[in-house]
Amino acid sequence: MENIEKLFGLLNEHAEKIEKEQNITLLEGLLDGLEAWLDGEVDFSQKDATKEDIRKAIQIAILKGMRKGSQPNHQMTPDTLGLLVGYFVEQIFAESLENEKISIMDPAVGTGNLLLTVMNLLDGKVEATGVEVDELLIRLAAATADLIEQPISLYRQDALEDLLVNPVDAVICDLPVGYYPNEEVALNYELCPAEGMSYAHHLFIEQSMNYTKDGGYLFFLAPSHLFESEQSKQLHKYIQKHAWIQAIIQLPDSMFANKSLEKSLVILQKQSKELKAPKEVLLAKVPNMQNKQALALFFEKVKMWKEGK
């Protein structure tokens, strides 16, 4: 904790100074500090600081900047969820990871916190790609990735347009929720409804499937009401045609400020002629993180499911 606190203090001090001097936002001041650190103009490094220490310190500084600016599209996936996604990626790809790297894409990479949490967990075993339309967020992601020496190819564009990305072994994504404004692009998707606007989170699922290898996996942090909306019938049909549902993990209510923001982790596998549908779909609820006994039972249930796959 000491390394994280010291590093956060230095980053925050620099960001606040630049914010005042240049009359810019705190997030922009932070980006200035990260890029100056990379260029060797300042040195924030702490003795013995790990990659996780640096990621966490930057994350806290970004969160502070977001709270101050509070733009609705500036949100970050909490560490707890990143670690949970990483745990399932590690479980599902355990055999592959013994001998080779796996390729992962996050099509809504934001500041990179979800992707970098997973990469630090599987350190050295991942080749990663991120896509993000917001320039400030993608620059923060790039600077953080460079500072913790995690190799990510980043593309600044609308992730729902054509991507110059090779199909990956896994997609991880904290799905952007809401309506997608570009109706012309939406028309290219099977999940574009006959009437009304398309849901961005549905289109992100379809686009992710387009860039996943046959037999590959998709890990979505999705709204808990994903399969209950007025467009969910179409989503059900699409998933039945292209994927197998491997798991639906309900996340603890205590993690979300109100019911409408609650999320689940939905794990899909893209269908492949060489593979069969899963014998059993894992349906589980993550208990309160403070309840060690209940957590142990949850992980035991996951282990049994994995062994039965």
Side-chain angles (χ1 to χ4, degrees), residues 157-165 185 188-189 207 210-211:
Q157 68 164 95
D158 177 347
L160 296 177
E161 293 183 5
D162 288 344
L163 302 175
L164 288 166
V165 175
V185 170
N188 301 322
Y189 285 84
Q207 181 71 322
N210 294 338
Y211 290 90

Side-chain angles (χ1 to χ4, degrees), residues 170-284:
V171 168
I172 61 173
C173 187
D174 191 345
L175 293 171
V177 178
Y179 289 109
Y180 178 58
N182 192 333
E183 293 183 43
E184 207 175 308
V185 170
L187 289 171
N188 301 322
Y189 285 84
E190 279 182 55
L191 285 170
C192 178
E195 286 175 15
M197 288 178 80
S198 302
Y199 283 142
H201 41 296
H202 287 193
L203 302 189
F204 265 87
I205 289 172
E206 182 173 339
Q207 181 71 322
S208 298
M209 203 81 75
N210 294 338
Y211 290 90
T212 303
K213 293 176 184 174
D214 289 353
Y217 285 81
L218 306 97
F219 303 80
F220 294 120
L221 290 167
S224 289
H225 52 76
L226 183 70
F227 295 114
E228 292 158 22
S229 71
E230 69 271 17
Q231 292 183 23
S232 61
K233 263 192 187 155
Q234 206 176 347
L235 180 64
H236 260 297
K237 249 189 195 162
Y238 174 83
I239 289 175
Q240 273 181 328
K241 182 176 164 189
H242 297 280
W244 296 307
I245 295 176
Q246 286 281 358
I248 297 177
I249 314 290
Q250 209 180 331
L251 301 169
D253 320 342
S254 56
M255 291 188 75
F256 306 98
N258 62 53
K259 203 159 176 58
S260 66
L261 300 173
E262 285 177 13
K263 293 184 179 186
S264 296
L265 172 59
V266 177
I267 303 176
L268 305 178
Q269 183 179 25
K270 187 170 177 176
Q271 289 181 12
S272 158
K273 290 189 178 82
E274 283 78 55
L275 300 168
K276 288 181 184 156
K279 291 184 208 134
E280 183 195 356
V281 175
L282 174 64
L283 300 172

Side-chain angles (χ1 to χ4, degrees), residues 10-253:
L10 292 168
L11 288 168
N12 186 53
E13 194 183 322
H14 181 98
E16 286 180 341
K17 180 171 165 274
I18 299 293
E19 178 192 25
K20 283 197 187 91
E21 282 176 4
Q22 298 184 19
N23 194 23
I24 56 177
T25 66
L26 189 62
L27 270 185
E28 289 167 321
L30 175 63
L31 177 63
D32 178 275
L34 297 179
E35 290 181 342
W37 186 8
L38 278 168
D39 294 340
E41 291 162 19
V42 294
D43 186 9
F44 298 129
S45 50
Q46 298 298 306
K47 193 170 171 283
D48 306 325
T50 64
K51 290 181 179 187
E52 266 297 87
D53 291 341
I54 297 169
R55 183 193 64 77
K56 282 180 176 168
I58 295 171
Q59 180 209 21
I60 297 164
I62 289 174
L63 278 171
K64 187 178 173 190
M66 286 179 171
R67 287 207 180 107
K68 205 168 172 189
S70 70
Q71 280 176 260
N73 63 326
H74 288 182
Q75 288 172 343
M76 191 189 275
T77 308
D79 279 7
T80 325
L81 299 187
L83 290 166
L84 187 71
V85 171
Y87 165 77
F88 275 99
V89 172
E90 193 172 30
Q91 290 298 307
I92 283 171
F93 286 97
E95 283 174 30
S96 313
L97 288 165
E98 280 174 24
N99 312 308
E100 59 194 26
K101 288 185 178 184
I102 60 166
S103 52
I104 292 182
M105 176 175 77
D106 184 343
V109 78
T111 61
N113 202 50
L114 172 60
L115 187 53
L116 291 169
T117 302
V118 173
M119 290 184 82
N120 274 354
L121 192 70
L122 305 173
D123 201 13
K125 296 177 178 177
V126 172
E127 287 171 352
T129 302
V131 185
E132 174 55 50
V133 73
D134 185 299
E135 187 187 358
L136 176 59
L137 299 189
I138 202 167
R139 283 177 68 188
L140 285 164
T144 309
D146 284 347
L147 286 164
I148 64 172
E149 297 174 348
Q150 290 293 10
I152 304 183
S153 303
L154 290 167
Y155 297 87
R156 188 191 161 210
Q157 68 164 95
D158 177 347
L160 296 177
E161 293 183 5
D162 288 344
L163 302 175
L164 288 166
V165 175
N166 291 323
V168 292
D169 298 309
V171 168
I172 61 173
C173 187
D174 191 345
L175 293 171
V177 178
Y179 289 109
Y180 178 58
N182 192 333
E183 293 183 43
E184 207 175 308
V185 170
L187 289 171
N188 301 322
Y189 285 84
E190 279 182 55
L191 285 170
C192 178
E195 286 175 15
M197 288 178 80
S198 302
Y199 283 142
H201 41 296
H202 287 193
L203 302 189
F204 265 87
I205 289 172
E206 182 173 339
Q207 181 71 322
S208 298
M209 203 81 75
N210 294 338
Y211 290 90
T212 303
K213 293 176 184 174
D214 289 353
Y217 285 81
L218 306 97
F219 303 80
F220 294 120
L221 290 167
S224 289
H225 52 76
L226 183 70
F227 295 114
E228 292 158 22
S229 71
E230 69 271 17
Q231 292 183 23
S232 61
K233 263 192 187 155
Q234 206 176 347
L235 180 64
H236 260 297
K237 249 189 195 162
Y238 174 83
I239 289 175
Q240 273 181 328
K241 182 176 164 189
H242 297 280
W244 296 307
I245 295 176
Q246 286 281 358
I248 297 177
I249 314 290
Q250 209 180 331
L251 301 169
D253 320 342

